[in-house]
């Protein structure tokens, strides 16, 4: 579970692996069910993130994000709060939801396989997606600015520095991408 604070609101994000698209027997029901892929088939869903918004321990809104691609897990970099939004990395997507209603603002596919996490670069007024195959810069309004890949999957860490993103791939090869351009630069 991931818990984030947004002013007077508390946002929780959990996996709901038992949720089945279109089933009347789901343990939990949600105010909104967002299918992030074009294909809405149950077999295409690999990630199921349930979000809840609370104010003074009272449940305000709920939603479930359903995504294909590589399955993603919830951890400290799975989501962040920015302004009055919750930005979530789920499957191969970054998603922005309004707080407190959890209305979908935008969805952007920022990786070909799956997103490991989302980071904020306040200096560059953008989000950085740490994907399995690509590192991407996404604007505050959900526009994909650039994507950059390497020789192998980016599984061995990410560091956001002042003007660059430093990542290490599966073979311990290091890459440094300029946040403005997405081009590789000196470390």
């Amino acid at each position: 579970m991931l818990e984030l604070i947004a002013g007077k609101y508390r946002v929780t994000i959990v996996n709901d692996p038992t949720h089945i698209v279109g089933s009347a027997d789901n343990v939990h029901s949600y105010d909104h069910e967002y299918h992030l892929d074009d294909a809405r088939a149950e077999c295409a869903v690999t990630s199921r993130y349930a979000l809840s918004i609370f104010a003074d321990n009272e449940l305000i809104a709920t939603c479930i994000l359903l995504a294909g691609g590589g399955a993603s897990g919830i951890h400290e970099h799975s989501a962040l709060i920015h302004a009055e939004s919750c930005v979530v990395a789920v499957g191969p997507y970054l998603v922005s939801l309004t707080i407190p209603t959890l209305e979908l603002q935008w969805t952007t596919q920022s990786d070909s396989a799956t997103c490991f996490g989302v980071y904020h670069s306040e200096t560059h007024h953008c989000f950085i997606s740490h994907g399995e195959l690509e590192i991407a810069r996404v604007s505050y309004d959900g526009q994909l600015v650039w994507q950059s890949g390497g020789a192998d999957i980016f599984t061995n860490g990410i560091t956001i520095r002042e003007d660059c993103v430093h990542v290490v791939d599966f073979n311990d090869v290091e890459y440094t991408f300029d946040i403005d351009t997405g081009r590789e630069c000196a470390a």
Side-chain angles (χ1 to χ4, degrees):
M1 179 174 93
L2 177 61
E3 184 173 283
L4 302 169
I5 302 300
K8 69 178 185 174
Y9 301 106
R10 181 170 51 95
V11 181
T12 63
I13 306 172
V14 298
N15 276 314
D16 186 352
T18 64
H19 185 86
I20 297 174
V21 176
S23 174
D25 296 327
N26 285 319
V27 175
H28 302 99
S29 61
Y30 300 97
D31 300 332
H32 308 283
E33 187 174 279
Y34 298 118
H35 300 263
L36 305 179
D37 298 290
D38 290 334
R40 298 184 189 277
E42 173 61 32
C43 63
V45 177
T46 56
S47 298
R48 296 165 171 84
Y49 284 10
L51 283 80
S52 300
I53 302 279
F54 298 88
D56 299 323
N57 291 322
E58 180 182 331
L59 183 62
I60 304 294
T62 61
C63 78
I64 189 161
L65 301 173
L66 305 165
S72 50
I74 297 172
H75 55 84
E76 69 176 305
H77 294 291
S78 294
L80 56 81
I81 302 298
H82 178 259
E84 295 176 358
S85 300
C86 182
V87 179
V88 184
V90 57
Y93 301 98
L94 287 189
V95 177
S96 180
L97 302 158
T98 60
I99 297 174
T101 62
L102 294 176
E103 295 289 330
L104 185 64
Q105 293 178 302
W106 52 260
T107 300
T108 300
Q109 184 170 346
S110 57
D111 192 78
S112 303
T114 192
C115 293
F116 295 143
V118 59
Y119 299 80
H120 180 226
S121 174
E122 190 170 338
T123 303
H124 295 88
H125 309 286
C126 67
F127 304 113
I128 302 295
S129 169
H130 173 201
E132 180 177 5
L133 302 174
E134 290 108 9
I135 303 303
R137 176 180 172 163
V138 177
S139 67
Y140 286 158
D141 63 355
Q143 298 301 307
L144 186 63
V145 178
W146 56 256
Q147 285 177 304
S148 294
D152 209 328
I153 58 178
F154 293 121
T155 56
N156 291 341
I158 182 169
T159 305
I160 309 296
R161 298 184 182 148
E162 188 172 314
D163 290 318
C164 59
V165 179
H166 182 79
V167 290
V168 182
D169 76 10
F170 182 77
N171 292 313
D172 291 325
V173 175
E174 298 184 22
Y175 301 83
T176 302
F177 299 110
D178 181 277
I179 292 178
D180 283 328
T181 66
R183 288 189 220 114
E184 254 192 281
C185 56

